[in-house]
Amino acid sequence: ATPVPRGFAAAAFTPEVCARWHATGSTVALTCLSPAHGIYALDTGLRRAECRAIASAAERCSRGRYASYTYAKQTLGCREHDELAAAAVGPVGTAFRACSRALA
């Protein structure tokens, strides 16, 4: 595997990068599960191997600091860990693009 450049996490989620995500690429369907509570579901189209790669990166980055992983921990960890950010940058961009277009 190619090593992830140091500082990738800080550069991957800047407002400029997010703006490019919004302006380019296709989106996926965002489904409202509860209009009253503003709860939505989004399928980013990840395959099983891609999900495993993100979970594995999260586990390596945690170095045993967390007893369990939640999606929120992985999302927040993207800002702190270059390897996790690199594994998740594509799905994060898809989710950002879909949500920002649908909820604008």
Side-chain angles (χ1 to χ4, degrees):
T2 305
V4 178
R6 179 171 243 167
F8 181 86
F13 304 105
T14 64
E16 295 79 19
V17 171
C18 292
R20 285 196 304 271
W21 285 339
H22 183 68
T24 62
S26 60
T27 60
V28 294
L30 184 67
T31 304
C32 183
L33 302 176
S34 173
H37 294 96
I39 298 173
Y40 294 82
L42 173 69
D43 181 356
T44 60
L46 287 176
R47 293 183 297 275
R48 180 174 285 180
E50 293 167 317
C51 290
R52 273 195 226 122
I54 293 170
S56 294
E59 290 169 4
R60 282 190 301 279
C61 291
S62 78
R63 296 182 184 105
R65 288 184 292 169
Y66 303 122
S68 64
Y69 263 90
T70 64
Y71 183 73
K73 287 262 191 222
Q74 290 179 12
T75 302
L76 294 173
C78 286
R79 295 186 212 148
E80 302 167 359
H81 302 287
D82 294 329
E83 182 185 0
L84 181 55
V89 72
V92 169
T94 299
F96 177 86
R97 185 171 40 256
C99 292
S100 61
R101 287 181 179 174
L103 304 174

